[in-house]
Amino acid sequence: MPNFDPLKTPPHVTLANFYPFKPQEVAAPRWSESNLFLPVTSGRGVVQVGPERFELSQGQVLQIPWASPIHYRADARDPFVLIGLHFKYLPWSDVSTPPLHTYTKLDMSKRSMQAPPVPQPFDEAFVFTPPPQSRIFDTAIAIAKAFEHERLRKSDSDCEARLRALALEFLILVRDLRHGSRVLDTHPQAGVVAELMSFIDLSFAQRLKRSDLAERAGISESSLASAFRAVTGKSPIDYLIDIRLAHARTLLSASRQRVSEVAEHVGIPDVYYFSKLFKRRLGVSPLQYRQQRRL
């Protein structure tokens, strides 16, 4: 909706949790007084939103508009694990309340069971796959953890403030990615940029220079930089760095590799430069990041 103002009615988290489905588990149709986001952390399954059917798998995010009727079915062999983020859009001073979940008066042919009380950021359901360098999943996990902390310590105003800030960051990330996908579809050199992005995604560990990327794209370095920035909001080298650090974050969280090995694996063999770059981009050193993720 064009009248949505994230400063006037920012997102407030009314519920946030992890839900690991069992094989073939079905969650009965229901609707909620909230705008729901469903990042898929693993597995796959099907979510029906009104008359639309979405097949989801790991790494995707489903956005569900206000009060849409929803039906879940997990895969038989690899059931999905979802993070459910329920947002209400309220003035900063208003207190968030849990969303109403109801199983009554369901009509899966409808797109919404109730008109939203205020303008919403999106009025249609859609699925998107954040690129590896995106902070969408990191932010979603942080929201779920902060919500649990806030629920256990109801008087912690600092936690509530952090929760609202994280929700606003998440929403802005979604809107930016949504806008970026539309630019990618309409820019005259969208095909060149999309092909180069795919190449970088697969070849990030190689030694790549600006001249190499421009030669592969078949255009000058300046033309490539201009087109790449118009589509992605950043230069090709910045995109490459983001991809490398995204893979580094995964290795630091999920493996026992030494920092030097992680740096080598993602295409930055100079461990001192890697550590400096990591801290400049993420605010913590690689070792600090690993410790935080394993708390």
Side-chain angles (χ1 to χ4, degrees):
M1 290 186 181
N3 294 325
F4 176 73
D5 184 345
L7 292 180
K8 183 178 179 181
T9 53
H12 288 212
V13 182
T14 55
L15 180 63
N17 59 5
F18 295 88
Y19 192 92
F21 279 76
K22 298 176 182 177
Q24 290 188 301
E25 180 179 351
V26 173
R30 69 182 185 184
W31 63 276
S32 303
E33 290 184 333
S34 66
N35 173 203
L36 176 60
F37 294 89
L38 295 175
V40 185
T41 62
S42 64
R44 55 182 179 265
V46 175
V47 178
Q48 184 175 349
V49 182
E52 297 184 86
R53 184 176 183 273
F54 297 92
E55 295 186 3
L56 302 177
S57 58
Q58 180 179 354
Q60 294 184 306
V61 181
L62 173 62
Q63 190 280 149
I64 301 176
W66 181 273
S68 296
I70 309 169
H71 184 278
Y72 304 84
R73 180 182 293 276
D75 185 76
R77 295 185 177 181
D78 188 16
F80 49 22
V81 177
L82 304 177
I83 304 175
L85 304 178
H86 292 263
F87 290 172
K88 284 186 178 180
Y89 301 96
L90 305 168
W92 288 103
S93 57
D94 286 10
V95 178
S96 298
T97 56
L100 169 68
H101 297 306
T102 179
Y103 298 86
T104 60
K105 299 180 180 179
L106 257 293
D107 185 349
M108 294 301 294
S109 68
K110 291 186 176 181
R111 295 184 180 276
S112 179
M113 300 299 297
Q114 179 191 86
V118 298
Q120 303 284 299
F122 310 105
D123 54 11
E124 61 181 3
F126 59 86
V127 174
F128 63 96
T129 304
Q133 78 276 12
S134 172
R135 289 181 52 81
I136 285 281
F137 274 84
D138 286 344
T139 307
I141 292 169
I143 290 172
K145 290 183 176 180
F147 183 85
E148 178 64 14
H149 180 77
E150 194 274 338
R151 187 183 67 82
L152 295 174
R153 301 176 60 184
K154 296 181 179 179
S155 61
D156 191 341
S157 59
D158 286 346
C159 184
E160 172 63 15
R162 179 171 182 268
L163 191 60
R164 295 182 184 186
L166 286 168
L168 184 57
E169 178 186 357
F170 181 88
L171 183 64
I172 291 172
L173 287 169
V174 173
R175 294 181 73 189
D176 287 349
L177 285 174
R178 184 73 167 159
H179 172 72
S181 66
R182 290 172 177 167
V183 172
L184 185 59
D185 291 337
T186 60
H187 193 275
Q189 291 180 308
V192 172
V193 173
E195 183 179 348
L196 192 59
M197 289 170 68
S198 297
F199 171 73
I200 293 174
D201 291 346
L202 295 173
S203 309
F204 64 90
Q206 299 178 18
R207 183 174 182 178
L208 299 174
K209 299 181 294 184
R210 291 181 180 85
S211 57
D212 297 329
L213 298 176
E215 182 178 354
R216 183 174 184 85
I219 56 179
S220 68
E221 290 185 42
S222 59
S223 296
L224 175 61
S226 177
F228 212 94
R229 190 172 295 280
V231 172
T232 68
K234 58 190 68 175
S235 71
I237 294 301
D238 277 338
Y239 181 81
L240 171 61
I241 290 172
D242 285 345
I243 293 291
R244 285 172 168 171
L245 294 184
H247 283 277
R249 296 202 307 269
T250 299
L251 290 173
L252 290 168
S253 301
S255 79
R256 296 182 179 275
Q257 291 184 22
R258 292 176 295 183
V259 173
S260 59
E261 293 172 328
V262 170
E264 180 75 31
H265 184 88
V266 302
I268 309 176
D270 185 337
V271 66
Y272 299 104
Y273 174 70
F274 168 76
S275 298
K276 183 178 179 179
L277 183 63
F278 193 99
K279 187 170 184 177
R280 185 167 71 238
R281 292 289 183 106
L282 298 174
V284 294
S285 71
L287 286 177
Q288 289 172 327
Y289 181 84
R290 170 172 276 169
Q291 292 168 354
Q292 292 174 357
R293 298 293 288 179
R294 292 184 174 179
L295 291 178

